[in-house]
């Protein structure tokens, strides 16, 4: 399916998309009591997880490919327009405080730039040239991954991003909410989470947006698990930038080691508050500098560092 500038053809194209389908049984929704509307919306949202579950094999294959590239120093780059672009920016922005990643490791680009986060930037969604320029500005490498995100799967910005990235040798993923989408076809890994027509016709910030958010959560979170950013289900790479996170850091060290508060405080003081290092100090009985060296030699993987330390 390709985009077109002819308004009549574009209208016909949109009418063929599941995400844009009209639901006549909901035509009187605005006349219902608020509680009934809430129940309808909640019931619709409850179907999203099952739609994502049907695409877990494709999602898992994409994650393994992303993790392999990122282990070599590559970046994860989300690109989309409108809601899809905002969701990519959101997921990327959560990675540094959650996994202590450098802000350059997971990047979110929205068509039209930062201003498009809060306002519509005319023509940005339809600009293939803009997508190519945005990627060229990042100096794309073959170790990078570009994820084009588009509910319809026909957004020119997202499709061009994937096509341009693939021509540069980067890994490409196309995430959409319609079957047989141009975006999925353009990508090495196509993920099509079909959630069906929306509660409000064409408002793909609803079920489609929820589905995209769930998949992006998986892409980043499981990739970080594969890269050793966790120890079991503990976020040992958390960045303690406020009082809540400092308290969480102490709790994570306690859960990982079973140590008492004084020992935890000594370990965190010896490692400048680095949770992963502090856990290694406690479990392996090493000092702060040794913990840092062991983790560096182990590629930041705590389990490997513990093995190297004989723990």
């Amino acid at each position: 399916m390709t985009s077109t500038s002819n308004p009549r053809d574009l209208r016909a194209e949109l009418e063929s998309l599941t995400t844009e389908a009209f639901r006549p049984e909901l035509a009187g929704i605005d006349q219902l009591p608020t509680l009934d509307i809430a129940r309808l919306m909640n019931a619709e949202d409850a179907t999203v997880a099952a739609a994502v579950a049907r695409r877990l094999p494709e999602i898992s294959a994409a994650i393994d490919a992303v993790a392999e590239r990122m282990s070599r120093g590559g970046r994860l780059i989300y690109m989309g327009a409108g809601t899809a672009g905002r969701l990519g920016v959101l997921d990327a922005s959560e990675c540094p405080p959650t996994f202590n990643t450098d802000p350059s490791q997971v990047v979110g680009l929205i068509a039209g730039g930062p201003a498009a986060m809060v306002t519509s930037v005319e023509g940005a969604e339809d600009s293939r040239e803009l997508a190519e320029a945005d990627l060229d500005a990042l100096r794309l490498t073959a170790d990078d991954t570009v994820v084009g995100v588009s509910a319809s799967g026909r957004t020119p910005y997202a499709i061009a991003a994937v096509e341009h990235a693939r021509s540069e040798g980067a890994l490409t993923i196309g995430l959409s909410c319609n079957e047989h989408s141009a975006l999925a076809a353009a990508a090495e890994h196509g993920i099509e989470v079909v959630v069906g027509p929306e509660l409000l016709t064409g408002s793909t910030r609803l079920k489609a947006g929820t589905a995209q958010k769930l998949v992006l959560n998986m892409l980043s979170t499981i990739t970080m698990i594969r890269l050793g950013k966790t120890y079991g289900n503990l976020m040992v790479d958390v960045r303690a930038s406020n009082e809540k996170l400092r308290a969480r850091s102490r709790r994570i060290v306690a859960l990982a080691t079973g140590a008492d508060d004084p020992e935890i405080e000594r370990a965190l003081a010896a490692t400048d508050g680095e949770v992963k290092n502090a856990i290694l100090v406690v479990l392996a009985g090493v000092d702060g500098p040794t913990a840092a060296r062991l983790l560096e030699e182990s590629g930041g993987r705590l389990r490997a560092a513990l093995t190297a330390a004989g723990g």
Side-chain angles (χ1 to χ4, degrees), residues 124-197:
E125 174 177 325
D126 299 322
S127 176
R128 297 179 59 88
E129 294 76 19
L130 182 59
E132 294 173 2
D134 285 346
L135 280 177
D136 288 342
L138 289 179
R139 299 181 184 275
L140 201 65
T141 75
D143 287 334
D144 293 329
T145 299
V146 171
V147 183
V149 188
S150 166
S152 67
R154 60 158 301 281
T155 305
Y157 179 87
I159 295 170
V162 164
E163 291 176 343
H164 187 59
R166 197 165 185 178
S167 72
E168 296 292 324
L171 179 71
T172 55
I173 299 170
L175 172 58
S176 73
C177 294
N178 284 296
E179 289 185 321
H180 312 301
S181 68
L183 178 58
E188 184 176 346
H189 292 268
I191 302 171
E192 296 175 325
V193 183
V194 181
V195 293

Side-chain angles (χ1 to χ4, degrees), residues 61-77 105 140-146 165-166 168-173 188-189 223 226-227 301:
I63 290 169
D64 285 338
V66 173
E68 196 274 331
R69 302 257 180 150
M70 290 195 78
S71 70
R72 303 200 304 256
R75 297 166 293 180
L76 177 58
I77 304 164
Q105 284 184 276
L140 201 65
T141 75
D143 287 334
D144 293 329
T145 299
V146 171
R166 197 165 185 178
E168 296 292 324
L171 179 71
T172 55
I173 299 170
E188 184 176 346
H189 292 268
T223 293
R226 293 274 74 90
L227 293 175
R301 300 173 186 274

